[in-house]
Coordinates of all heavy atoms in Angstrom, one line a residue:
D1 N 94.1 90.0 103.3 CA 94.1 88.8 104.1 C 94.2 87.6 103.3 O 94.1 87.5 102.1 CB 93.1 88.9 105.2 CG 91.7 88.7 104.7 OD1 91.5 88.4 103.5 OD2 90.7 89.1 105.4
R2 N 94.2 86.5 103.9 CA 94.2 85.2 103.3 C 93.0 84.9 102.3 O 92.9 83.9 101.5 CB 94.5 84.1 104.2 CG 93.4 83.8 105.1 CD 93.6 82.5 105.8 NE 94.4 82.8 107.0 CZ 94.9 81.8 107.8 NH1 94.5 80.5 107.5 NH2 95.6 82.0 108.8
F3 N 91.7 85.6 102.7 CA 90.6 85.4 102.0 C 90.4 86.4 100.9 O 89.3 86.2 100.3 CB 89.4 85.4 103.0 CG 89.6 84.5 104.2 CD1 90.0 85.1 105.5 CD2 89.4 83.1 104.0 CE1 90.1 84.1 106.5 CE2 89.6 82.3 105.1 CZ 89.9 82.8 106.3
G4 N 91.4 87.2 100.6 CA 91.3 88.2 99.6 C 90.7 89.4 100.0 O 90.3 90.3 99.1
N5 N 90.3 89.7 101.2 CA 89.7 91.0 101.7 C 90.8 92.1 101.9 O 91.8 91.6 102.6 CB 89.0 90.8 103.1 CG 87.8 89.8 102.9 OD1 87.1 89.7 102.0 ND2 88.1 88.7 103.8
K6 N 90.6 93.2 101.4 CA 91.6 94.2 101.6 C 91.3 94.7 103.0 O 90.2 95.2 103.4 CB 91.2 95.4 100.6 CG 92.4 96.5 100.6 CD 92.0 97.6 99.6 CE 92.0 97.3 98.2 NZ 91.9 98.4 97.4
V7 N 92.4 94.7 103.7 CA 92.5 95.2 105.1 C 93.2 96.5 105.4 O 93.0 97.1 106.4 CB 93.0 94.1 106.1 CG1 92.1 92.8 106.0 CG2 94.5 93.7 105.7
Y8 N 94.0 96.9 104.4 CA 94.7 98.1 104.5 C 95.0 98.7 103.2 O 95.3 98.0 102.2 CB 96.1 97.9 105.1 CG 96.9 99.1 105.4 CD1 96.7 99.9 106.6 CD2 97.9 99.6 104.6 CE1 97.4 101.1 106.9 CE2 98.6 100.7 104.7 CZ 98.4 101.5 105.8 OH 99.0 102.6 106.1
E9 N 94.9 100.0 102.9 CA 95.1 100.7 101.8 C 95.7 102.3 102.1 O 95.1 102.8 103.0 CB 93.9 100.8 101.0 CG 94.2 101.7 99.7 CD 93.0 101.6 98.7 OE1 91.9 101.9 99.2 OE2 93.2 101.3 97.6
K10 N 96.8 102.6 101.6 CA 97.1 104.0 101.8 C 97.9 104.4 100.5 O 99.0 103.8 100.1 CB 98.1 104.0 103.0 CG 98.5 105.5 103.3 CD 99.0 105.6 104.7 CE 99.1 107.2 105.0 NZ 100.0 107.3 106.2
A11 N 97.5 105.5 100.1 CA 98.2 106.2 99.0 C 99.3 107.1 99.7 O 99.1 107.5 100.8 CB 97.3 107.1 98.2
Q12 N 100.4 107.3 99.0 CA 101.5 108.0 99.6 C 102.0 107.5 100.8 O 102.1 108.1 101.8 CB 101.3 109.6 99.7 CG 100.8 110.3 98.4 CD 102.0 110.0 97.4 OE1 101.7 109.5 96.3 NE2 103.2 110.5 97.5
Y13 N 102.2 106.0 100.9 CA 102.7 105.4 102.0 C 104.0 106.0 102.7 O 104.9 106.3 101.9 CB 102.9 103.9 101.6 CG 103.2 103.1 102.8 CD1 102.2 102.9 103.9 CD2 104.3 102.5 103.0 CE1 102.6 102.2 105.0 CE2 104.7 101.8 104.1 CZ 103.8 101.6 105.1 OH 104.1 100.9 106.3
A14 N 103.9 106.1 103.9 CA 105.0 106.7 104.6 C 105.5 106.0 105.8 O 106.0 106.4 106.8 CB 104.4 108.2 105.3
N15 N 105.7 104.6 105.5 CA 106.3 103.7 106.5 C 105.5 103.7 107.8 O 106.3 103.8 108.8 CB 107.8 103.9 106.6 CG 108.5 103.5 105.3 OD1 108.3 102.6 104.7 ND2 109.6 104.3 105.0
D16 N 104.4 103.9 107.9 CA 103.7 103.9 109.1 C 102.6 102.9 109.4 O 101.9 103.1 110.4 CB 103.1 105.4 109.2 CG 102.1 105.7 108.0 OD1 102.0 104.9 107.1 OD2 101.5 106.9 108.1
W17 N 102.6 101.8 108.6 CA 101.5 100.8 109.0 C 102.0 100.1 110.3 O 103.2 99.5 110.3 CB 101.4 99.8 107.8 CG 100.3 98.8 108.0 CD1 99.1 98.9 108.6 CD2 100.4 97.5 107.6 NE1 98.4 97.9 108.7 CE2 99.3 96.8 108.0 CE3 101.4 96.7 107.0 CZ2 98.9 95.5 107.8 CZ3 101.2 95.4 106.8 CH2 100.0 94.7 107.1
D18 N 101.1 99.9 111.2 CA 101.5 99.2 112.4 C 100.7 98.0 112.7 O 100.5 97.5 113.8 CB 101.0 100.1 113.7 CG 99.6 100.5 113.7 OD1 98.8 100.2 112.9 OD2 99.3 101.4 114.7
G19 N 100.1 97.4 111.5 CA 99.3 96.0 111.5 C 98.0 96.3 112.0 O 97.3 95.2 112.4
T20 N 97.4 97.4 111.8 CA 96.0 97.5 112.0 C 95.4 97.8 110.7 O 95.9 98.3 109.8 CB 95.6 98.7 113.0 OG1 96.2 100.0 112.4 CG2 96.2 98.5 114.4
S21 N 94.0 97.5 110.6 CA 93.2 97.8 109.3 C 92.9 99.2 109.2 O 92.6 100.0 110.2 CB 91.9 97.1 109.6 OG 91.0 97.5 108.4
S22 N 93.1 99.7 108.1 CA 92.9 101.1 107.7 C 91.3 101.4 107.5 O 91.0 102.5 107.6 CB 93.6 101.6 106.4 OG 93.3 100.9 105.4
F23 N 90.6 100.2 107.5 CA 89.1 100.4 107.4 C 88.5 100.4 108.6 O 87.4 101.2 108.8 CB 88.7 99.4 106.4 CG 89.3 99.5 105.0 CD1 90.2 98.5 104.7 CD2 89.0 100.4 104.1 CE1 91.0 98.6 103.5 CE2 89.7 100.6 102.8 CZ 90.5 99.6 102.6
T24 N 88.8 99.5 109.5 CA 88.0 99.2 110.8 C 88.9 99.7 112.0 O 88.4 99.8 113.1 CB 87.7 97.8 111.0 OG1 88.9 97.1 111.2 CG2 86.9 97.2 109.9
G25 N 90.2 99.9 111.9 CA 91.0 100.2 113.0 C 91.4 99.0 113.9 O 92.1 99.1 114.8
A26 N 90.9 97.8 113.6 CA 91.1 96.6 114.3 C 92.6 96.2 114.1 O 93.2 96.2 113.0 CB 90.2 95.5 113.7
V27 N 93.2 95.6 115.2 CA 94.4 95.0 115.2 C 94.3 93.6 114.3 O 93.4 92.8 114.7 CB 95.0 94.7 116.6 CG1 96.3 93.9 116.5 CG2 95.0 96.1 117.3
L28 N 95.2 93.6 113.4 CA 95.1 92.2 112.4 C 95.9 91.2 113.2 O 96.8 91.4 113.9 CB 95.7 92.6 111.2 CG 95.2 93.7 110.3 CD1 95.9 94.0 109.1 CD2 93.7 93.3 109.9
Q29 N 95.4 90.0 112.9 CA 95.9 88.8 113.6 C 97.3 88.5 113.1 O 97.7 88.9 111.9 CB 95.0 87.6 113.1 CG 93.7 87.6 113.7 CD 93.0 86.3 113.2 OE1 93.5 85.3 113.1 NE2 91.7 86.5 112.9
D30 N 98.2 87.9 113.8 CA 99.4 87.5 113.4 C 99.1 86.4 112.3 O 98.4 85.3 112.4 CB 100.1 86.7 114.5 CG 100.7 87.6 115.5 OD1 100.3 88.8 115.5 OD2 101.4 87.1 116.4
D31 N 99.6 86.7 111.0 CA 99.4 85.9 109.9 C 100.1 86.4 108.7 O 100.8 87.4 108.8 CB 97.9 86.0 109.6 CG 97.3 84.8 108.8 OD1 98.2 83.9 108.3 OD2 96.0 84.5 108.7
T32 N 99.9 85.7 107.6 CA 100.6 86.1 106.4 C 99.6 86.9 105.6 O 98.5 86.4 105.5 CB 101.2 84.9 105.7 OG1 102.1 84.3 106.4 CG2 101.8 85.3 104.3
Y33 N 100.0 88.0 105.0 CA 99.1 89.0 104.1 C 99.8 89.2 102.9 O 101.0 89.0 102.8 CB 99.0 90.2 105.0 CG 98.2 90.1 106.2 CD1 98.9 89.8 107.3 CD2 96.9 90.3 106.3 CE1 98.1 89.6 108.6 CE2 96.2 90.0 107.4 CZ 96.8 89.7 108.6 OH 96.1 89.5 109.7
Y34 N 99.0 89.3 101.9 CA 99.4 89.6 100.5 C 99.6 91.1 100.3 O 98.5 91.9 100.6 CB 98.5 88.9 99.6 CG 98.9 89.2 98.1 CD1 99.9 88.6 97.5 CD2 98.1 90.1 97.2 CE1 100.2 88.6 96.2 CE2 98.6 90.2 95.9 CZ 99.6 89.5 95.4 OH 99.9 89.7 94.1
Y35 N 100.6 91.7 99.8 CA 100.7 93.0 99.5 C 100.8 93.3 98.0 O 101.3 92.6 97.3 CB 101.9 93.8 100.2 CG 103.2 93.4 99.7 CD1 103.7 94.2 98.7 CD2 104.0 92.4 100.3 CE1 105.0 93.8 98.1 CE2 105.3 92.1 99.7 CZ 105.7 92.7 98.7 OH 107.0 92.4 98.1
I36 N 100.4 94.5 97.6 CA 100.7 95.1 96.3 C 101.1 96.5 96.5 O 100.4 97.3 97.1 CB 99.3 95.2 95.4 CG1 98.7 93.7 95.2 CG2 99.5 95.7 94.1 CD1 97.4 93.6 94.5

């Protein structure tokens, strides 16, 4: 997120991220996120 907090992580990514956090399951806000 914009504060540098990791909100999602997945090894062997399979085109299945739906905008929720992989850590909490919470729906992420409409916003800009940084990806690696």
Side-chain angles (χ1 to χ4, degrees):
D1 67 15
R2 69 169 83 186
F3 305 106
N5 301 311
K6 189 184 293 188
V7 295
Y8 183 85
E9 179 177 47
K10 185 163 185 193
Q12 297 310 112
Y13 182 66
N15 289 328
D16 55 358
W17 183 41
D18 63 357
T20 59
S21 171
S22 64
F23 302 106
T24 66
V27 174
L28 299 174
Q29 296 181 38
D30 288 9
D31 207 345
T32 302
Y33 295 85
Y34 180 73
Y35 72 81
I36 300 174

